[in-house]
Amino acid sequence: MSSLTYRLYHHPLDPPSRRVRLALAEKAVVCDFVVEKPWDPSADFLALNPSGEVPVLALEQSGERQILADAQAICEYLDETHAAETLLGKDPVARAEVRRLIGWFDRKFQNEVTVPLLGEKAMKRLTNSGEPDSQIIRAGCHNIHGHLDYIAWLTERRNWLAGDALTFADLAAGAQLSIIDYLGDVPWDQHILAKEWYARLKSRPSFRTILGDHIAGFPPPRHYADLDF
Amino acid sequence: MSSLTYRLYHHPLDPPSRRVRLALAEKAVVCDFVVEKPWDPSADFLALNPSGEVPVLALEQSGERQILADAQAICEYLDETHAAETLLGKDPVARAEVRRLIGWFDRKFQNEVTVPLLGEKAMKRLTNSGEPDSQIIRAGCHNIHGHLDYIAWLTERRNWLAGDALTFADLAAGAQLSIIDYLGDVPWDQHILAKEWYARLKSRPSFRTILGDHIAGFPPPRHYADLDF
């Protein structure tokens, strides 16, 4: 039987893609990576995932292929199939807390911070769809403070966001924040506790994969990959 | 030891709340219900869930209380603690497919259909925030066709949306569609296969809970609760 191979279709500026890349690295899964533009999916990619969304994980073994789409579906799959060090939590209540926080960052942070900032500052340029709206950018810059305060509140009570151990909740939050940090828009100096949590996350080997991201014509600020930011 | 009690904070026009109500009924969990307005959360409710979102499930036993928020977190918890008849699927690949479809309906259908139609036709009225925008309503009415076609495509290949058995994928889709049906905006007659699937879902005892919904000043159309629609 040939060995199982993993291929991830992703985009470097897509937070759910980043969450899965972090999860693959935390689980030490060897994977190859294909960049796909979700705003202009190829026909081949649409055949894999009719929603056109990244991330998509293709598994292949002995000529048989499984296609998994949706970051949450992929992360749960990775945890079920690499259960030794769970990133979900050890009992149903702990897992519910991890999943609640994933929802917080993937839905609330995404809508209140990432969509306004990434949408205006990057996606409009990448998709040639007009000028950034400074009012929307201001709203995103305003909204991020509440989320950084919430991270501080959690980490005053817990070692990581959902409890003693690192979980998918930290990866979901880190995936979102690392995108905003790539834009240079995280006010770290006003949020020391959130910065301490992020520094711990950023120094994990799994984070190297996303700190190396460099979008053509759209370089990150100097502190982006710096562990001592 | 006193018995475990369940209380769900929800809103009848919130699709994730409906998904959890259906899940509780499928799992035969006895629960009491509190309606909460997510657009104007009470201070007591914000203390339970700082995001202000519904649904929230409060569990109480012997004076100890657990608070679970986020529909996906709650559904996974219910499945883990009432595992006899799983609504998730029997192996990791099957569960990944269920979770992919949950993401499809909770994110894609929600953004493309529910936000435009519910947002313009109901939420603006309930929150006193202006007149419905007919262009946005037209977009929602246009977008629903692709989703009903996708349901047909799936049910031509499978008994239920994710496979042989009913899963959370059907409940997620039914939760969204039942809201649009409450508005009278599902073009069932143009989508016979999707209608057949929905008729099967609608006739399950679990669905009775949401067919009885009646929002003051906002009655459903006559066919809404009719099993022979």
Side-chain angles (χ1 to χ4, degrees):
Chain A
M1 196 162 79
S2 68
S3 65
L4 179 60
T5 64
Y6 295 79
R7 168 170 289 182
L8 186 75
Y9 298 81
H10 75 106
H11 191 273
L13 290 179
D14 176 61
S17 293
R18 286 192 170 209
R19 169 149 68 102
V20 172
R21 289 163 69 203
L22 292 170
L24 287 163
E26 286 289 338
K27 296 284 188 185
V29 172
V30 177
C31 184
D32 63 41
F33 295 93
V34 178
V35 172
E36 186 69 39
K37 293 176 183 166
W39 60 90
D40 182 23
S42 64
D44 284 356
F45 183 69
L46 282 172
L48 297 182
N49 186 14
S51 81
E53 292 176 338
V54 284
V56 166
L57 185 65
L59 310 174
E60 197 162 331
Q61 188 164 36
S62 312
E64 261 200 58
R65 202 153 73 142
Q66 287 289 352
I67 304 299
L68 311 182
D70 181 285
Q72 184 58 13
I74 295 170
C75 285
E76 297 264 0
Y77 175 88
L78 289 173
D79 213 66
E80 291 179 9
T81 54
H82 298 75
E85 297 255 328
T86 180
L87 291 169
L88 264 175
K90 295 199 193 309
D91 63 68
V93 170
R95 287 190 283 274
E97 178 65 355
V98 172
R99 293 180 179 119
R100 175 184 78 83
L101 288 167
I102 292 170
W104 181 292
F105 289 100
D106 269 17
R107 199 167 53 237
K108 193 172 168 68
F109 187 101
Q110 166 84 15
N111 290 337
E112 295 178 358
V113 180
T114 306
V115 167
L117 293 179
L118 184 70
E120 295 305 311
K121 294 182 118 179
M123 300 317 291
K124 276 191 169 172
R125 173 139 47 118
L126 291 169
T127 61
N128 283 319
S129 46
E131 290 299 308
D133 182 325
S134 61
Q135 213 173 337
I136 298 178
I137 290 173
R138 264 200 302 278
C141 288
H142 170 80
N143 293 341
I144 198 171
H145 291 289
H147 290 279
L148 293 167
D149 286 342
Y150 191 47
I151 288 171
W153 188 89
L154 291 169
T155 57
E156 279 186 302
R157 286 156 181 80
R158 302 165 173 180
N159 187 33
W160 292 97
L161 295 187
D164 286 344
L166 177 94
T167 67
F168 287 123
D170 300 281
L171 304 189
Q176 294 282 350
L177 273 163
S178 67
I179 298 265
I180 307 304
D181 203 36
Y182 190 99
L183 302 173
D185 283 337
V186 184
W188 292 120
D189 292 348
Q190 297 169 56
H191 295 276
I192 298 307
L193 288 174
K195 184 178 178 178
E196 282 174 13
W197 160 83
Y198 190 69
R200 276 192 289 145
L201 194 62
K202 197 175 179 178
S203 66
R204 293 180 76 85
S206 66
F207 230 72
R208 281 181 211 145
T209 170
I210 67 176
L211 295 181
D213 280 343
H214 190 112
I215 288 95
F218 217 118
R222 266 167 96 181
H223 78 267
Y224 172 71
D226 191 349
L227 296 185
D228 189 24
F229 57 110
Chain B
M1 197 161 79
S2 67
S3 65
L4 179 58
T5 64
Y6 295 79
R7 168 171 291 182
L8 186 75
Y9 298 82
H10 75 106
H11 191 273
L13 290 178
D14 176 61
S17 293
R18 285 191 171 210
R19 169 150 69 101
V20 172
R21 290 162 69 202
L22 292 171
L24 288 163
E26 286 288 339
K27 297 284 188 186
V29 172
V30 177
C31 184
D32 64 39
F33 295 93
V34 179
V35 172
E36 188 68 39
K37 293 176 182 166
W39 60 88
D40 183 23
S42 64
D44 285 355
F45 184 68
L46 282 172
L48 296 182
N49 186 14
S51 82
E53 292 177 339
V54 282
V56 167
L57 185 65
L59 309 174
E60 197 162 333
Q61 187 163 38
S62 312
E64 260 199 58
R65 202 154 73 141
Q66 288 289 352
I67 304 298
L68 311 181
D70 180 285
Q72 184 58 12
I74 295 170
C75 285
E76 297 265 0
Y77 175 89
L78 289 173
D79 213 64
E80 291 179 9
T81 53
H82 298 75
E85 298 255 328
T86 179
L87 291 169
L88 264 175
K90 294 198 192 308
D91 62 67
V93 170
R95 286 191 282 274
E97 177 64 355
V98 171
R99 292 181 180 120
R100 175 185 78 83
L101 288 167
I102 292 169
W104 181 292
F105 289 99
D106 269 17
R107 199 167 52 239
K108 193 172 168 68
F109 187 101
Q110 166 84 15
N111 290 337
E112 296 177 357
V113 180
T114 306
V115 168
L117 293 178
L118 184 70
E120 295 304 312
K121 294 182 117 179
M123 300 316 291
K124 276 190 168 172
R125 174 143 41 122
L126 290 170
T127 61
N128 282 320
S129 46
E131 290 299 308
D133 181 326
S134 62
Q135 214 173 334
I136 298 177
I137 291 173
R138 266 200 303 278
C141 288
H142 169 80
N143 294 341
I144 198 171
H145 291 289
H147 290 278
L148 294 167
D149 286 343
Y150 190 47
I151 289 171
W153 188 90
L154 291 168
T155 56
E156 280 186 301
R157 285 155 182 82
R158 302 164 173 180
N159 187 33
W160 292 96
L161 294 187
D164 286 344
L166 178 95
T167 67
F168 287 123
D170 300 281
L171 304 190
Q176 294 282 350
L177 274 163
S178 67
I179 297 267
I180 308 304
D181 203 36
Y182 190 98
L183 302 173
D185 283 336
V186 184
W188 292 120
D189 292 348
Q190 297 170 55
H191 295 275
I192 299 307
L193 287 174
K195 184 178 177 176
E196 282 174 14
W197 160 82
Y198 190 69
R200 276 192 290 145
L201 194 62
K202 197 174 179 178
S203 65
R204 293 179 76 87
S206 65
F207 231 72
R208 279 180 213 146
T209 169
I210 66 177
L211 295 182
D213 280 342
H214 190 111
I215 289 94
F218 216 119
R222 266 168 94 181
H223 76 269
Y224 171 73
D226 191 349
L227 296 185
D228 188 23
F229 57 110

